[in-house]
Each structure stands twice: as C-alpha cells, then as structure tokens.
Amino acid sequence: MDGTLLGDDGLVPDAFWPLLEDLHRAGILFVPASGRQYQTLHNIFGEHEGLIYIAENGTNVVQNGISIDVEPVESAIIAPIVDWVRATAATGADLGLVVCGARSAYIERSDAHFVSQVRQYYAAVEVVADVQAAALDDVILKLAIYDPSFAETRSGPALRELDLPSEIVVSGENWVDVMRHGANKGRALERLQHQLGISRAQTMAFGDYLNDAEMLDASGHSYAMANGHPSILARAVNIAPPSSEAGVVSSILAALPHLQGEPVHAR
C-alpha cells in the first residue's frame, strides 16, 4: 500500500477506482497485499465485489470477510519478543510493539505519537496493560516493532540475533514484522494461486519494500516501484512509475490496453 498503490497523500489514486471495476468485469482478480491488518484494508477498499485480501504480510488471507488461510505465530516466540522490546525501550530507545491479532491489534504504549503511527495501519487496536495477556484471547498473526529510522539497522538485526523460530522482515522504514517461520506475502500468494487455479504466468505483482520480495518472485510479471528499496528494484522484472504518479494504475493499463476502452465510472 504505502509506497506502492497509495500516493504521497496516503490515499488511493482516483484513477484506480474505475480501473478496479474494469478489472472485475474482465474477470481479473485484484488482491490487496499488505502488512496492514485486514480491517484497515477493508476500510480502504470498502465493499467492492471480488476482492481477496492478503493481510498482515501474508499471515491472514480473507475473502468475503472470512479468513481462508491463516498462519499464526508460534506462541513460544511472543514472550521473548515482548521482553526484548520492553528491555530495549527501557534503555531510552524509541520503540513500540504491536501484537497483531485476527480480531484486534494490541499495544501497551499509549502516547499520542505512537498511537497515531499505529492507527495508520491498524484500524482495530486496543491499548492494554499487558499485550501478552491480551494475546491469550486472540489468534496472533504477527508482532510489529516500531523503530523510527533504525528498523533496518537496529531492530531487524537484533531480533534475528534472538534466533527464534520466526520470519523477520523489515516491512517499512520504521517497522519490523515478526511472523511464523516461512510466512510471507509470496507464500500466501502461491497458495491462493493454487486454490484458484491461477498460474504464476497469469499473475502481476507490485511492490516497493523488503516485505514484497517473495511476492514478486511468485509473479510472472513483477513490478518494483521506481521509488522502491534498491534490493526490490534489482529483484523485479519491470520498473513501474513511482507511487506518487499512480504507477500501479498506469502499469496495469499499459500491460492490459484493452481495459482503456472500458467506460469510466465514478466511485
């Protein structure tokens, strides 16, 4: 979403909505894939027919409001991650933790700055006294660590040094996600392809950051956004215009020119 489909204003480009209708009419499935939770993605896209969501970096695939593929974290990794975040924050580091459940996200840190950062990605969020206790009553999909400016150089490497049975990915400039070992957007996409009978050659994917790598690999038509991370630019087959120029929309229309003849509808 951020850096890929959304513009600099954080909104979906106006030109996307008629394209989404044209894709649906043409029998082409559009799948929002994001580190964001399902509830947030649903709030963005609304009740558009035919959408399937790959949420929480591939750990929750949702169709018609029902989770059809879930990969929860190993419960044994929750306590060590919580302890590391608490201990590191106690040294003065600007860190925050989001325990991401299927029903809601849970946070202990409640200052306005952190809460505002969290609410960009988690529409359903609760401030609790103890995130570990809250986790007992939900299916925990991932743990997201907020580390402004140091996600790739501090939190990412430090969490890997804990040597837990988990998948650790820097999902944004300020975020590191910890998930079940092997879980990622690409694996979720591959299972969805298998379920729907859609081949890799029939799949187009767009991404800009490190958590998009496996998803691009699972697509026969992979696009890195021009504003993307250098490793993603090197990994993709194609380069799309930047998200600030609605690069996803223009790239789809360039690849599927017959859609440009479809009538445009207001959202």
Side-chain angles (χ1 to χ4, degrees), residues 31 64 170:
V31 181
N64 298 325
V170 179

Side-chain angles (χ1 to χ4, degrees), residues 16 24 37 41 84 88 111 128 131 137 139 145 166 168 174 203 216 221 229-230 235 253 262:
F16 170 78
H24 180 66
Q37 70 178 178
L41 294 174
W84 180 84
T88 307
D111 59 281
V128 297
V131 290
D137 296 322
V139 176
I145 294 86
S166 61
I168 298 169
N174 301 329
T203 306
L216 296 180
H221 306 274
H229 190 282
R235 196 158 186 150
L253 289 173
E262 299 285 354

Side-chain angles (χ1 to χ4, degrees), residues 1-13 36 44-45 243-244:
M1 298 297 294
D2 299 278
T4 301
L5 180 61
L6 304 185
D8 291 344
D9 56 3
L11 300 176
V12 176
R36 298 180 183 220
I44 292 171
F45 290 96
S243 55
S244 60

Side-chain angles (χ1 to χ4, degrees), residues 12 16 28 89 93 98 121 135 240:
V12 176
F16 170 78
I28 299 171
V98 185
Y121 309 105

